[in-house]
Amino acid sequence: MIQRCAACGAEYAESDPRAECPCGGLLDIEHPAPSLTGGELRALFDSRLGEPTGALASGVWRFREIVHPAAGNDVVTWPEGNTPLLSREVVSRWAACPGLLLKHEGQNPTGSFKDRGMTVAVTQARRLGASAVACATTGNTGASLAAYAAIAGIAGLVLVPRGGVAAGKLAQVMAYGARTLVVRGDFDACLRLAREVAEELGVYLLNSINPFRVEGQKTIVLELLQQLRWDPPAWIVVPAGNLGNTAAFGKALREARAFGLVSRVPRLAAVQAEGAAPFAQSFRDGFRTRHPVTAETVASAIRIGDPASFDRGVRAIRETNGVVTTVSDAEIMEAKAVIDAAGVGCEPASAASVAGVRRLVREGVIWADEQVAAVLTGHLLKDPGIVTWYHVDAQPRPPLANPPIEIEARVSEVSRLLKKER
Ligand SMILES: *Cc1c(COP(=O)(O)O)cnc(C)c1O
Ligand SMILES: [Zn+2]
């Protein structure tokens, strides 16, 4: 297992702590083929289902041979993963996609998929003897970093854009005990600063440019394939911001085929918000140029104007014959209201995946009889502010608004309302 620069091909030891190659390229982990492949590797992974305790009880470390085979006893785990794969008729009907499945990554320990990457990257920080770890974040990476740094006993530094972070996420960072630095600037400014801090102050960087984050996030796809008994869906649909997940999904599928876990791979669909769609714009011109933007969307987790894992994302979309699409904030909020009212719930960015499914079905890109797995990336309670805005404050009142009703303390008032409900 080595690290290799995706731009110039330079090779680095697995234990090299640098955040990127001096040439500016990002590093990727390269795995030799594991000693078991194909059906034997599937059987090994399947044999660990239901492990009661220890690292192998994690939905990340169950796949350790193709995630971080050198981690040994240093694993820092919650444990994470083991998220449900749901089918909900009201959501399928709304998206006009009968074969729609929801992989709910909001059911991770800190409420987002970021825990899958963080368990591996903080494990690596421990192996390297790092005294401090840092990240720039729209919130969830920080919440996750704070929790895992606390478990590992390493100091955590979280850089957030002023005014751009949902309440639930900021609360987590403070509560788990990382130091929160509020930066006067947007996410892209935070990430630039975090990279400089890592370079100049020797702090270990835990953003998704970190190749070990990517290794952990691959397990969303590995676990999904395992839940489908290694029979891949036609599509995997994911919200796309900094493109860490898009990149990780592409790598997971590439390796799953190379190691014989599956014989064909699903197509990837990356979904961006219209106001934060630099990747979608590049997709439309055949990825010839980058189109950095000043990002604006209700979905703060994907409010990113210049995605760091751009090149990795391009590779993932190309290799899977994938697509990149956009949805409006109104579509995101409607999809979210449907997912929430189904009793499932998710944060706004997550709903972009389901809104994207509906759009791709309408455009005839996804066919009505295809099986589609949409990833819900974060938990409903991450962003309580937006829920209140939608149901109480938004004008004109949105179609699915469900505001509380104030009454006098009398049974007659309740009975009058009950009749109306029926
Ligand atoms: C981080 C995050 C995203 C964006 O993922 P990328 O890997 O940056 O593309 C989407 N949704 C939620 C809830 C997130 O926390
Ligand atoms: Zn390089």
Side-chain angles (χ1 to χ4, degrees):
M1 175 184 179
I2 56 149
Q3 306 185 68
R4 188 182 301 284
C5 171
C8 74
E11 189 178 312
Y12 299 96
E14 169 257 312
S15 57
D16 196 309
R18 76 187 72 208
E20 48 211 311
C21 183
C23 87
L26 300 186
L27 304 179
D28 290 326
I29 302 291
E30 252 178 46
H31 292 284
S35 55
L36 300 179
T37 56
E40 286 179 330
L41 190 57
R42 286 194 298 265
L44 175 68
F45 295 155
D46 289 349
S47 75
R48 294 167 177 167
L49 290 168
E51 274 291 330
T53 54
L56 293 178
S58 155
V60 172
W61 295 100
R62 180 191 311 141
F63 305 102
R64 64 186 302 160
E65 286 78 3
I66 56 174
V67 169
H68 196 332
N73 292 326
D74 288 324
V75 171
V76 180
T77 178
W78 211 91
E80 49 291 309
N82 297 312
T83 60
L85 186 61
L86 310 170
S87 151
R88 290 291 182 270
E89 209 189 321
V90 281
V91 182
S92 304
R93 209 179 316 124
W94 182 83
C97 182
L100 180 62
L101 299 169
L102 306 170
K103 177 73 174 151
H104 205 328
E105 288 296 304
Q107 299 302 111
N108 270 292
T110 78
S112 85
F113 74 81
K114 299 298 198 300
D115 295 337
R116 291 191 187 255
M118 207 52 75
T119 179
V120 181
V122 171
T123 293
Q124 186 66 4
R126 174 187 270 177
R127 300 181 72 235
L128 299 173
S131 58
V133 292
C135 72
T137 178
T138 60
N140 282 333
T141 299
S144 189
L145 176 149
Y148 283 84
I151 299 172
I154 301 175
L157 212 57
V158 173
L159 310 182
V160 299
R162 186 167 69 176
V165 177
K169 307 176 187 182
L170 204 50
Q172 287 178 292
V173 181
M174 293 189 283
Y176 294 138
R179 177 66 64 208
T180 312
L181 302 178
V182 180
V183 178
R184 301 185 191 110
D186 61 8
F187 170 80
D188 300 284
C190 287
L191 183 54
R192 272 194 301 277
L193 177 60
R195 289 167 108 154
E196 286 164 17
V197 165
E199 176 74 30
E200 290 174 32
L201 308 181
V203 174
Y204 190 59
L205 187 65
L206 290 184
N207 274 100
S208 59
I209 60 172
N210 182 312
F212 293 92
R213 286 269 313 272
V214 173
E215 291 307 299
Q217 287 171 209
K218 289 188 323 196
T219 64
I220 302 171
V221 164
L222 297 174
E223 190 176 272
L224 167 69
L225 293 172
Q226 185 173 40
Q227 283 168 314
L228 294 173
R229 300 182 192 284
W230 306 103
D231 183 14
W235 290 89
I236 299 178
V237 185
V238 65
N242 221 9
L243 303 180
N245 247 355
T246 305
F249 287 22
K251 190 168 192 282
L253 292 171
R254 186 185 317 140
E255 292 171 353
R257 184 152 60 182
F259 302 154
L261 291 172
V262 293
S263 50
R264 65 188 163 83
V265 300
R267 298 178 71 184
L268 279 183
V271 186
Q272 297 208 288
E274 274 171 8
F279 192 51
Q281 215 177 322
S282 292
F283 174 72
R284 282 193 288 270
D285 71 18
F287 291 126
R288 269 189 296 278
T289 45
R290 292 177 74 144
H291 294 273
V293 300
T294 302
E296 199 33 75
T297 166
V298 65
S300 58
I302 50 175
R303 192 184 292 151
I304 291 169
D306 190 11
S309 287
F310 183 89
D311 294 334
R312 291 170 172 167
V314 170
R315 184 175 178 193
I317 295 298
R318 285 202 171 128
E319 285 183 356
T320 62
N321 188 24
V323 300
V324 187
T325 192
T326 60
V327 290
S328 69
D329 278 5
E331 291 174 286
I332 288 174
M333 288 310 292
E334 191 181 328
K336 173 174 156 54
V338 171
I339 295 162
D340 289 355
V344 173
C346 67
E347 67 165 284
S350 313
S353 61
V354 172
V357 171
R358 184 170 76 156
R359 178 164 281 210
L360 291 169
V361 169
R362 280 190 180 165
E363 290 172 351
V365 178
I366 292 179
W367 295 354
D369 62 345
E370 286 183 311
Q371 190 176 52
V372 178
V375 179
L376 300 179
T377 43
H379 196 279
L380 168 74
L381 289 174
K382 287 284 191 171
D383 194 347
I386 203 74
V387 178
T388 307
W389 173 82
Y390 183 89
H391 290 284
V392 180
D393 300 323
Q395 292 297 335
R397 177 151 289 179
L400 300 172
N402 178 33
I405 302 166
E406 195 174 310
I407 59 163
E408 299 301 332
R410 279 196 295 270
V411 171
S412 62
E413 295 242 314
V414 179
S415 112
R416 182 170 57 80
L417 285 166
L418 258 184
K419 278 183 201 130
K420 263 213 277 191
E421 299 279 318
R422 290 198 190 110

